[in-house]
Amino acid sequence: VFLYDIVSHFRRLTGIGCVLNTSFNRHDEPIVNTPGQALAVLKDGPIDYLVLGSCWVAASGPGRDRESAGSPAASLTSEDG
């Protein structure tokens, strides 16, 4: 009943009748806690884009031909730390 109440309230507020709960980490690694850790997952991981606050960051580098989107936007290459 508790989860139903949460989802129902969220639906009344947003018009969206679902809540997605997921963790952000790589296999056998701890959950991402900092922007730097999130950028490291973007750089070497299977995700294409990352939203940090008001920034939308697109992965780039070998095997990736995606363009940055959003505003403001930035790009991360394999040479970035």
Side-chain angles (χ1 to χ4, degrees), residues 1-48:
V1 174
F2 179 73
L3 183 58
Y4 176 83
D5 292 339
I6 290 173
V7 174
S8 296
H9 185 71
F10 186 76
R11 182 170 186 239
R12 285 192 300 275
L13 292 174
T14 66
I16 300 169
C18 70
V19 175
L20 176 65
N21 180 19
T22 184
S23 60
F24 182 19
N25 64 310
R26 292 183 218 164
H27 182 71
D28 288 337
E29 292 192 15
I31 292 176
V32 168
N33 286 312
T34 67
Q37 292 170 345
L39 289 169
V41 171
L42 177 68
K43 179 180 169 187
D44 298 325
I47 64 174
D48 298 322

Side-chain angles (χ1 to χ4, degrees), residues 42-44 59-64 75-81:
L42 177 68
K43 179 180 169 187
D44 298 325
S60 64
R64 297 179 186 241
S75 181
L76 180 69
T77 65
S78 59
E79 290 82 32
D80 293 333

Side-chain angles (χ1 to χ4, degrees), residues 37-73:
Q37 292 170 345
L39 289 169
V41 171
L42 177 68
K43 179 180 169 187
D44 298 325
I47 64 174
D48 298 322
Y49 300 98
L50 176 67
V51 177
L52 291 170
S54 62
C55 294
W56 183 345
V57 185
S60 64
R64 297 179 186 241
D65 57 356
R66 297 147 190 101
E67 295 181 20
S68 296
S71 179

